[in-house]
Amino acid sequence: MIEKKCQKILNTYHTENGSVISILQDMQEVFGYIREDAVEWFSAKLNIPASSFFGVATFYSQFYLKPRGKNIVTACCGTACHVKGSEAIINRMRADLAVAVGEDTTADGQFTLETVACVGACSIAPVVIVNKKIFGGVTPEKSSGILKDYEKNSKG
Amino acid sequence: MAGQTKTRPGTRKVSRAGKKAKATTASRSKAQSGVQAVKDLTIKVCMGTGGLAAGSQDVIDEFAAQLRVCGITADIVKKCVNKTGCRGFCAKDVLVEITLDGETAVYQLVTPDKVSRIVQEHILGGDPVEQWLVGPEYHAFHDKQTKILLKQCGQIDPEDINAYIEIGGYEGVKKALSQTPFEVIEEVKSSGLRGRGGAGFPTGLKWEFCSMSSEAVRYIICNADEGDPGAFMDRAIIEGNPHSVLEGMIIGGYAIGAKEGYIYIRAEYPLAVGRLEIAIEQAKKRGFLGKNVLRSGYDFEIRIKQGAGAFVCGEASALMRSIEGKRGMPRAKLWRSAVKGLWDKPTVLNNVETFANIPLIILNGAEWYRGFGTERSTGTKVFALTGKMKNTGLIEVPMGMTLREMIFDIGGGMTGKNTLKAVQTGGPSGGCIPARHLDLPVDFDSLASVGSMMGSGSMVVVDQTTCMVDLAKFFITFTQHESCGKCVPCRIGTKRMLETLTRITEGRGREDDIDLLIELGNDIKNASLCGLGQSAPNPILSTIEFFREEYEAHIKYGRCPANVCKSLRQYLISPEACKMCGKCSRVCPSGAIKWEPRHTAELDKTKCVKCGACYDACPFNAIM
Ligand SMILES: Cc1cc2nc3c(=O)[nH]c(=O)nc-3n(C[C@H](O)[C@H](O)[C@H](O)COP(=O)(O)O)c2cc1C
Ligand code: FES
């Protein structure tokens, strides 16, 4: 199963130098996170130690070593959003989703809450992104409303 | 907070934008072949990230649907409704510009339900809907600017190379290829252009160093990492006019003798990545890229590399390691990148905005370019005005304009009754400029003289509700998190600074903490390996210099003058307002809130760590 998918990724890249990051990006796109077995497959195929893959994967914050929720909620905490109160929004959403302290995914795997330092939409700060849809001018109240809509959709 | 949740999403593909572009070009050729034009009508809708967030796709769809209902054929609808990049005035998105029989009107804050009335009264009836038109602040916002880079953003379709060529695009490449590389470099040198990525290094000089190398293989890289949280001009330029960046890179590549170019762009900018991919494809088809560019014998290719979410990868040597597929760690500056850069070959790295300037300089000449700005900082600069102001957005002004003009004349001043306290420029590497320095001209050297820097051009305006100690803590949290960990001063020094600032904001500050921060800050600046560490203490040192009394209020009196620092507040639960939902109890990390279903929550003050989580979590404002 994973082999077929891995081979497909490999076909796009094997000629290029410096493809570790690109392979990891594609792996994450296909599997949703960085799978250990997939890394080992590539490591064997390309004769690159698995530690190089993990070294890169843990350096960049884009890579996840654990599966993530069905809906990805991203709150911006860049400068513009920070001075317009993003922290209160993040705290409210953590409470609404009941994400455990120290975790970022809800127990039922429906939502992952993460933060990002600026998505480049600072003029409509504070910004929250749910599954790539951008919401601007968010308040704690609005963020509760946004999450409710997604909760309904993912159940119904 | 940032430490607890994962940072940055992993986004990678944008294919919808690509399909749309094809549809537009196809319909254009059909429309030319005969369908009669009902009216001479153009509708331009902003489709930058700001516009999309405000719902511009829905607005476009609604226009298309309404016009179809009115009997204007679908082909014409597609031709008339243009997608454009950001025009800067994002605070009033969705902006829609309608040109009817030569007369142009701009609507602000358009939503799909307003479209039908605009179509009925304006497009069919000929009477613009006055109350929805942009107000005087829109004109003030635009009239005071000098747009040479952003001129086309918001005017042309970024997914159509013909639109760029029609306005003189790629003429710069033609002119450059008819000159020698030496002449091109001389022109850039004499324009006085300085890099827009932050440090302000003269671009022409950088190119000259590289062109003198004895190595045959060389690279040119465009830095589109835009890591400064609070800046988005590079994104807007790429989304609004991607070909201008490609053209700058082709000219640069020719000048330094590079056959390969890379664009290193943040994965957080999916729309920009998509538009670049389209632009590169189109430029290849037209012979501006690839083998034998415009039959000049010069070969040049551009590849896109997506970053993976690390601020330090904006730094030159770290960026090159990242393109090589490694951990993005900077290295000691034993050689300039112009000698040993990417794959240890001579390399030139420039910022997006720097490249976008190049075609204009080549086409109009260095003399023309020096006509803008000041003697030592020539040209214009794009700034991202954000924070507590009325007209937030992107502006382009000549170098040397004062902060006051930017914030009050263009930005329309502060929102509500707020008073301006400080302007933060340069992001995590820059500093805070207090209100009394508002008449400072903004150029590379003046900003440095007050302990800040140009950086990428972000300007975050803050008012009395922002605590400067908290803001300093915000930046050091960011840099500490993003430090790659290679050198000790940066890895451990920023950590100690963060601890000290945390202590102060929690009311546990010590008498000598301010002196400690200053000493640490200067040591980190002097001893760090790369620009990240060398500039990380700037936000702290500059807030201490200008707002020392705020630090003292926290340390000596346990008071936060802006009432921001949560540990210095007292929390209470109002039994009247409490609706017994229990959210506060669930988020409390120390178990200080007792709650059972159908009972009001109770706060045990002895256990409370004053983190403020309950305050933010309460939907009913019952916690004070
Ligand atoms: C920590 C750090 C982050 C940086 N981030 C960026 C960035 O996001 N974009 C950028 O263009 N330059 C950034 N720079 C500056 C680059 O190192 C480099 O100076 C610049 O891209 C050169 O282009 P220019 O001469 O056109 O300014 C950063 C520097 C440091 C030290
Ligand atoms: S700071 Fe949030 S979008 Fe830029």
Side-chain angles (χ1 to χ4, degrees):
Chain A
M1 241 312 254
I2 76 156
E3 260 166 49
K4 231 189 206 159
K5 288 180 179 166
C6 289
Q7 186 63 48
K8 211 168 148 198
I9 298 174
L10 191 62
N11 291 343
T12 358
Y13 286 111
H14 65 273
T15 51
E16 249 183 72
N17 279 333
S19 49
V20 171
I21 293 181
S22 308
I23 289 176
L24 286 170
Q25 280 170 337
D26 280 13
M27 204 191 290
Q28 181 150 298
E29 183 76 28
V30 172
F31 300 115
Y33 69 108
I34 305 300
R35 288 176 66 129
E36 204 174 327
D37 46 2
V39 167
E40 269 155 19
W41 188 90
F42 277 103
S43 160
K45 277 271 170 191
L46 298 171
N47 206 12
I48 299 172
S51 63
S52 300
F53 281 95
F54 285 114
V56 170
T58 50
F59 183 85
Y60 296 100
S61 53
Q62 189 195 17
F63 299 115
Y64 308 96
L65 301 174
K66 278 195 277 182
R68 297 195 304 151
K70 209 166 120 195
N71 297 293
I72 309 292
V73 183
T74 313
C76 177
C77 61
T79 319
C81 293
H82 177 80
V83 302
K84 286 204 166 176
S86 61
E87 203 181 332
I89 296 167
I90 296 167
N91 286 341
R92 171 68 70 88
M93 292 198 299
R94 285 190 83 84
D96 283 353
L97 293 174
V99 184
V101 177
E103 285 290 328
D104 48 26
T105 304
T106 52
D108 61 1
Q110 285 295 325
F111 289 90
T112 290
L113 178 63
E114 56 188 18
T115 59
V116 57
C118 194
V119 294
C122 321
S123 48
I124 49 170
V127 175
V128 169
I129 304 176
V130 187
N131 303 340
K132 297 185 186 174
K133 183 167 168 46
I134 301 178
F135 298 89
V138 178
T139 57
E141 282 69 38
K142 271 197 205 166
S143 75
S144 290
I146 295 169
L147 290 181
K148 276 219 182 77
D149 290 346
Y150 280 89
E151 256 163 40
K152 257 188 241 142
N153 288 345
S154 62
K155 288 204 181 102
Chain B
M1 265 329 291
Q4 284 178 18
T5 37
K6 254 292 198 182
T7 311
R8 290 178 180 179
T11 43
R12 251 215 119 197
K13 57 160 195 259
V14 163
S15 52
R16 205 173 64 164
K19 281 177 206 142
K20 273 274 157 55
K22 275 175 219 138
T24 316
T25 8
S27 67
R28 174 159 301 139
S29 51
K30 235 191 270 168
Q32 275 162 357
S33 66
V35 193
Q36 96 286 9
V38 174
K39 280 198 170 171
D40 184 8
L41 170 70
T42 326
I43 302 174
K44 292 179 176 171
V45 182
C46 171
M47 292 285 275
T49 295
L52 282 173
S56 57
Q57 186 63 52
D58 297 340
V59 171
I60 284 202
D61 292 347
E62 187 64 24
F63 266 110
Q66 291 279 341
L67 291 181
R68 209 175 297 125
V69 170
C70 304
I72 303 178
T73 59
D75 273 345
I76 295 174
V77 172
K78 271 194 197 145
K79 185 186 162 198
C80 294
V81 184
N82 278 337
K83 291 170 292 167
T84 66
C86 180
R87 58 186 66 209
F89 200 54
C90 312
K92 295 282 163 63
D93 263 326
V94 177
L95 290 169
V96 176
E97 184 184 302
I98 296 183
T99 309
L100 187 64
D101 299 328
E103 276 194 42
T104 300
V106 185
Y107 291 95
Q108 65 184 18
L109 300 170
V110 179
T111 47
D113 54 311
K114 288 184 178 169
V115 169
S116 128
R117 192 167 150 205
I118 294 176
V119 170
Q120 290 302 330
E121 294 184 16
H122 186 174
I123 297 176
L124 297 178
D127 274 329
V129 187
E130 288 289 340
Q131 74 198 87
W132 294 338
L133 290 177
V134 289
E137 72 276 10
Y138 177 85
H139 300 289
F141 184 81
H142 285 287
D143 293 349
K144 286 259 177 171
Q145 298 188 45
T146 307
K147 293 196 174 192
I148 61 175
L149 292 177
L150 294 182
K151 196 168 160 197
Q152 313 304 346
C153 292
Q155 293 301 326
I156 60 172
D157 183 344
E159 295 177 2
D160 179 8
I161 193 171
N162 292 317
Y164 183 60
I165 292 175
E166 264 166 38
I167 53 151
Y170 288 108
E171 288 300 318
V173 168
K174 287 182 195 157
K175 189 164 170 194
L177 290 177
S178 71
Q179 300 174 340
T180 63
F182 177 77
E183 285 169 329
V184 174
I185 292 176
E186 282 306 308
E187 193 76 38
V188 175
K189 261 167 74 180
S190 94
S191 74
L193 174 66
R194 293 171 69 173
R196 302 296 195 240
F201 193 83
T203 307
L205 273 186
K206 198 188 260 188
W207 291 12
E208 191 175 42
F209 286 137
C210 188
S211 72
M212 291 188 303
S213 163
S214 56
E215 293 238 25
V217 178
R218 301 166 195 172
Y219 295 102
I220 190 158
I221 307 176
C222 174
N223 190 344
D225 196 42
E226 196 154 65
D228 172 0
F232 52 104
M233 59 285 294
D234 294 350
R235 174 182 66 70
I237 291 174
I238 294 176
E239 284 176 8
N241 194 358
H243 286 286
S244 67
V245 180
L246 298 188
E247 187 176 1
M249 285 185 74
I250 299 169
I251 297 172
Y254 173 71
I256 65 158
K259 291 199 162 50
E260 260 182 81
Y262 285 93
I263 300 176
Y264 187 86
I265 183 166
R266 307 181 66 183
E268 281 87 345
Y269 288 177
L271 185 63
V273 174
R275 295 219 165 127
L276 272 178
E277 281 168 353
I278 294 167
I280 291 177
E281 265 326 295
Q282 292 177 339
K284 268 191 204 157
K285 284 214 183 90
R286 292 302 189 92
F288 297 116
L289 280 176
K291 285 244 169 302
N292 200 1
V293 173
L294 298 176
R295 291 189 208 87
S296 64
Y298 168 59
D299 304 338
F300 189 63
E301 267 187 75
I302 296 181
R303 291 209 184 99
I304 298 175
K305 278 276 177 182
Q306 291 196 45
F311 173 63
V312 72
C313 286
E315 196 273 342
S317 60
L319 183 148
M320 293 171 198
R321 295 298 84 73
S322 180
I323 292 184
E324 292 167 8
K326 303 187 184 124
R327 290 165 69 99
M329 304 253 224
R331 65 179 186 197
K333 269 217 164 91
L334 301 178
W335 308 278
R336 285 177 182 282
S337 320
V339 180
K340 279 193 176 188
L342 185 63
W343 317 110
D344 276 345
K345 299 290 181 209
T347 304
V348 159
L349 172 73
N350 279 124
N351 167 263
V352 170
E353 197 183 328
T354 314
F355 278 123
N357 271 303
I358 298 290
L360 299 168
I361 291 172
I362 297 299
L363 202 57
N364 301 312
E367 186 89 28
W368 169 82
Y369 192 76
R370 281 200 310 268
F372 301 97
T374 65
E375 197 181 336
R376 302 209 49 233
S377 303
T378 57
T380 61
K381 174 81 191 90
V382 182
F383 291 96
L385 278 186
T386 57
K388 306 278 179 66
M389 312 188 333
K390 280 205 192 103
N391 308 332
T392 53
L394 273 194
I395 64 165
E396 180 178 353
V397 295
M399 291 271 194
M401 186 180 253
T402 64
L403 284 170
R404 189 184 299 282
E405 285 172 283
M406 285 191 214
I407 295 165
F408 288 92
D409 296 351
I410 299 176
M414 309 294 287
T415 46
K417 290 198 201 82
N418 303 334
T419 53
L420 185 143
K421 179 154 139 190
V423 187
Q424 208 283 338
T425 70
S429 324
C432 288
I433 301 169
R436 67 173 184 275
H437 280 315
L438 272 185
D439 290 311
L440 190 79
V442 178
D443 58 54
F444 288 106
D445 309 306
S446 311
L447 286 180
S449 75
V450 292
S452 186
M453 66 184 268
M454 180 78 78
S456 50
S458 67
M459 262 189 198
V460 185
V461 176
V462 301
D463 61 11
Q464 73 285 356
T465 61
T466 298
C467 167
M468 300 315 273
V469 187
D470 177 73
L471 190 65
K473 188 177 118 197
F474 166 80
F475 282 116
I476 204 74
T477 309
F478 178 81
T479 33
Q480 191 270 326
H481 184 83
E482 295 292 338
S483 168
C484 78
K486 185 165 173 173
C487 74
V488 175
C490 176
R491 179 181 71 228
I492 300 177
T494 54
K495 185 108 189 157
R496 291 292 97 84
M497 286 192 111
L498 175 58
E499 281 167 9
T500 312
L501 281 170
T502 307
R503 185 157 79 211
I504 296 176
T505 55
E506 288 178 352
R508 295 180 289 112
R510 300 176 194 153
E511 199 80 3
D512 57 355
D513 270 350
I514 298 182
D515 294 330
L516 176 70
L517 284 172
I518 295 175
E519 191 191 335
L520 250 177
N522 286 322
D523 289 348
I524 296 171
K525 278 177 83 158
N526 292 330
S528 291
L529 181 65
C530 85
L532 190 142
Q534 287 159 10
S535 60
N538 285 349
I540 297 170
L541 296 177
S542 82
T543 45
I544 291 182
E545 179 173 349
F546 295 121
F547 299 95
R548 197 181 175 109
E549 66 289 350
E550 283 196 33
Y551 281 82
E552 284 169 351
H554 284 76
I555 296 173
K556 288 194 188 142
Y557 310 109
R559 206 172 60 80
C560 173
N563 202 14
V564 168
C565 296
K566 289 183 176 145
S567 317
L568 304 180
R569 293 194 209 144
Q570 294 285 340
Y571 291 95
L572 279 176
I573 300 177
S574 150
E576 292 83 46
C578 178
K579 295 267 188 301
M580 310 173 198
C581 71
K583 278 197 171 137
C584 53
S585 163
R586 256 173 271 142
V587 293
C588 179
S590 63
I593 300 181
K594 223 172 74 198
W595 169 83
E596 281 161 25
R598 288 183 299 284
H599 282 80
T600 48
E602 278 172 44
L603 175 74
D604 180 352
K605 281 204 179 136
T606 56
K607 284 196 196 156
C608 175
V609 291
K610 298 182 180 173
C611 69
C614 54
Y615 177 86
D616 294 331
C618 179
F620 312 110
N621 294 325
I623 297 179
M624 294 174 285

